[in-house]
């Protein structure tokens, strides 16, 4: 089938490459000329494991094309995916900014000829598909089309696998005609017996928000439990394992840390709250989730301050990890941004390393010294803070690290290391939801040691 995708951001580029891998002819359209020029040269503008190979393979096979023009990609397409950004509104009121979605609808409308299914792939509030349909009809009253909702559930760092082997595919449709077209596009997943949830458009739009809000709830819940653990001498990792083995709860997203970030959870929880408010419905749980997440980032800054003696002014603090999670260069709403900004405001000297995200972080945090490796970042540091659990930080040469540092203080915001091990290597060690241990403390650690 012939597919057009408007938007070559994270969702659009991954979806386009994967649909091409299914054997479809895909045209990816973006108005940013520099981005399209880079893609045409074979340069991938985002970091996602395996994406560069997939793009190069399908470009070489002539199944994947990048362009700034709506013609000829749109007129011959059977399905057009709108995959543009829906950032939080600049007004700070919880609304998702739908201007890019509506602009895409206006631009594609005049190019429609034969029957076409227009699919919202972007994460959008309930009712957006109806507005897209209205706009297209106003611009092109004779257009023969349906609008559908097909939310994405791609995890950054594992997006290709998530697309090729999804937990489910959600289709929000109003007609059998559109349903059959979309089922044909996803036919390779039928062969894998992937569950399909076929529902109305409003339900589909809400599923994405509800899913992300629930996952964010699990994160904020375990962070609150971690804070209790620190006060009573319990171990949050053992608590998480103890409850996660319950099949009704599950172990995923029960990892205590500095709070959630990224392009989805912060934006989508606020948007869901706004949807609830507009419809006169209370959404108290999600309100609390958002509040807890903000408080957790502030708590982590205080934890670091305590670790360096109660005042970070003039202290050198090494930060390992800037992206909101490993295997991505995405720093949107990353805990590192809030925590580092607080440290800088209080006079700290911050040296940082991240395998992929330093270029993006430098735009938001110009006052940081960015280093080529984690050991360079730790030279002369009064404390090192493990912010993002990249694999290369999981087996640091601890003796070398200690020699490089001014003070052997390690603040592990991802609970990567065992307290006993850190104490044996001469570190004063702070983590999340576990008791701190002092250098040389032989009885360090609880059940997780």
């Amino acid at each position: 089938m012939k597919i057009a995708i408007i938007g070559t951001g994270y969702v659009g580029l991954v979806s386009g490459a994967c649909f091409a891998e299914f054997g479809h002819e895909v045209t990816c359209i973006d108005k940013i000329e520099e981005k399209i020029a880079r893609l045409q040269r074979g340069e991938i503008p985002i970091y996602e494991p395996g994406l560069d190979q997939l793009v190069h393979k399908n470009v070489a096979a002539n199944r994947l094309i990048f362009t700034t023009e709506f013609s000829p990609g749109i007129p011959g397409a059977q399905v057009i995916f709108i995959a543009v950004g829906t950032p939080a509104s600049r007004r700070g009121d919880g609304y998702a900014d739908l201007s890019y979605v509506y602009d895409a609808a206006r631009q594609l409308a005049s190019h429609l000829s034969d029957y076409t299914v227009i699919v919202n792939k972007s994460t959008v509030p309930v009712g957006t598909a109806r507005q897209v349909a209205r706009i297209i009809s106003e611009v092109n009253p004779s257009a023969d089309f349906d609008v559908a909702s097909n939310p994405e559930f791609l995890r950054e760092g594992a997006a290709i696998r998530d697309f090729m082997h999804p937990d489910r595919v959600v289709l929000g449709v109003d007609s059998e005609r559109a349903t059959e077209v979309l089922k044909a596009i996803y036919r390779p997943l039928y062969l894998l017996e992937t569950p399909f949830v076929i529902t109305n458009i409003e339900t589909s739009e809400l599923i994405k928000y509800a899913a992300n809000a629930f996952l964010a709830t699990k994160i904020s819940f375990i962070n609150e439990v971690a804070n209790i653990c620190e006060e009573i001498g319990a171990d949050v990792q053992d608590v998480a394992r103890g409850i996660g083995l319950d099949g009704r709860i599950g172990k995923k997203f029960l990892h205590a840390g500095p709070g959630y970030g990224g392009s989805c959870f912060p934006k989508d929880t606020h948007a869901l709250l706004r949807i609830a408010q507009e419809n006169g419905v209370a959404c108290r749980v999600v309100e609390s989730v958002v509040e807890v997440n903000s408080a957790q980032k502030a708590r982590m800054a205080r934890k670091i301050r305590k670790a360096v003696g109660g005042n970070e002014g003039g202290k050198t603090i090494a930060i390992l990890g800037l992206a909101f999670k490993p295997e991505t260069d995405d720093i949107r709403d990353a805990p590192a941004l809030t925590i580092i900004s607080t440290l800088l405001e209080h006079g700290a000297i911050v040296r940082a390393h991240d395998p992929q995200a330093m270029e993006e972080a430098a735009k938001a945090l110009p006052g940081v010294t960015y280093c080529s490796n984690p050991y360079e970042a730790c030279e002369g540091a009064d404390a090192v803070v493990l912010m993002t659990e990249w694999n290369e930080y999981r087996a640091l040469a601890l003796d070398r690290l200690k020699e490089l540092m001014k003070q052997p203080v390690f603040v592990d915001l991802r609970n990567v290391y065992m307290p006993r091990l850190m104490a044996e290597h001469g570190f004063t060690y702070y983590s999340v939801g576990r008791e701190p241990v002092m250098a040389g403390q032989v009885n360090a650690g609880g059940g997780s040691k």
Side-chain angles (χ1 to χ4, degrees), residues 265-285:
F265 288 4
K267 174 175 67 69
D268 292 354
T269 48
H270 281 97
L272 182 59
L273 288 177
R274 191 66 194 187
I275 292 168
Q277 291 167 1
E278 287 182 340
N279 289 277
V281 179
C283 204
R284 304 298 185 215
V285 171

Side-chain angles (χ1 to χ4, degrees), residues 311-387:
N311 184 357
E312 62 267 54
K315 302 289 178 64
T316 298
I317 299 174
I319 303 291
L320 302 186
L322 299 163
F324 84 96
K325 62 180 285 188
E327 300 301 330
T328 182
D329 60 354
D330 195 344
I331 63 163
R332 286 174 287 183
D333 279 299
L337 296 183
T338 300
I339 295 169
I340 291 174
S341 294
T342 301
L343 296 175
L344 291 173
E345 288 171 4
H346 287 79
I349 301 163
V350 178
R351 298 166 60 83
H353 174 263
D354 187 285
Q356 295 294 334
M358 288 193 290
E359 183 177 346
E360 289 299 315
K363 301 172 186 176
L365 296 167
V368 173
T369 299
Y370 296 94
C371 304
S372 59
N373 61 68
Y375 301 101
E376 180 185 343
C378 292
E379 289 181 10
D382 292 281
V384 55
V385 180
L386 202 165
M387 191 82 67

Side-chain angles (χ1 to χ4, degrees), residues 387-439:
M387 191 82 67
T388 311
E389 65 276 33
W390 286 90
N391 282 337
E392 67 180 81
Y393 300 152
R394 291 181 178 275
L396 294 167
L398 297 176
D399 291 337
R400 178 185 176 188
L401 205 67
K402 183 182 175 185
E403 289 178 4
L404 289 169
M405 296 177 65
K406 184 177 180 180
Q407 302 290 340
V409 177
F410 198 111
V411 183
D412 185 355
L413 299 187
R414 298 292 181 173
N415 290 353
V416 168
Y417 286 91
M418 294 181 290
R420 182 186 297 276
L421 174 70
M422 300 305 291
E424 289 174 351
H425 278 81
F427 283 91
T428 296
Y429 177 76
Y430 297 83
S431 54
V432 181
R434 301 183 297 185
E435 290 185 282
V437 297
M438 303 299 111

Side-chain angles (χ1 to χ4, degrees), residues 135-305:
I135 290 168
I136 294 172
S137 294
E138 289 177 352
V139 175
N140 186 354
S142 63
D144 185 12
F145 71 97
D146 278 309
V147 174
S149 169
N150 175 218
E152 54 84 17
F153 300 96
L154 306 178
R155 295 170 299 162
E156 295 188 43
I160 293 172
R161 175 173 176 78
D162 286 349
F163 195 101
M164 298 294 194
H165 303 276
D167 295 325
R168 76 286 202 197
V169 174
V170 176
L171 301 177
V173 287
D174 272 348
S175 74
E176 284 297 324
R177 195 178 182 189
T179 302
E180 292 307 312
V181 170
L182 293 178
K183 287 169 69 175
I185 279 187
Y186 282 109
R187 184 164 287 121
L189 299 183
Y190 270 94
L191 301 177
L192 300 175
E193 298 184 349
T194 300
F196 276 67
V197 179
I198 300 176
T199 184
N200 64 34
I201 291 174
E202 286 75 13
T203 302
S204 175
E205 290 172 330
L206 185 58
I207 284 172
K208 177 60 185 287
Y209 283 119
N212 280 349
F214 186 80
L215 296 176
T217 299
K218 292 187 75 172
I219 293 171
S220 285
F221 173 79
I222 200 63
N223 281 338
E224 287 211 308
V225 171
N227 298 338
I228 296 172
C229 287
E230 290 182 9
E231 298 300 319
I232 67 173
D235 188 310
V236 72
Q237 288 186 303
D238 287 346
V239 173
R241 185 168 185 269
I243 65 176
L245 289 171
D246 186 326
R248 298 167 299 175
I249 298 173
K251 63 182 180 180
K252 294 183 178 180
F253 289 84
L254 289 178
H255 303 288
Y260 59 75
S263 62
C264 293
F265 288 4
K267 174 175 67 69
D268 292 354
T269 48
H270 281 97
L272 182 59
L273 288 177
R274 191 66 194 187
I275 292 168
Q277 291 167 1
E278 287 182 340
N279 289 277
V281 179
C283 204
R284 304 298 185 215
V285 171
V286 180
E287 286 179 2
S288 297
V289 166
V290 172
E291 292 172 4
V292 168
N293 194 60
S294 295
Q296 188 71 0
K297 294 175 184 179
R299 185 181 177 91
M300 296 303 102
R302 293 195 300 272
K303 184 185 290 287
I304 296 168
R305 182 176 303 127

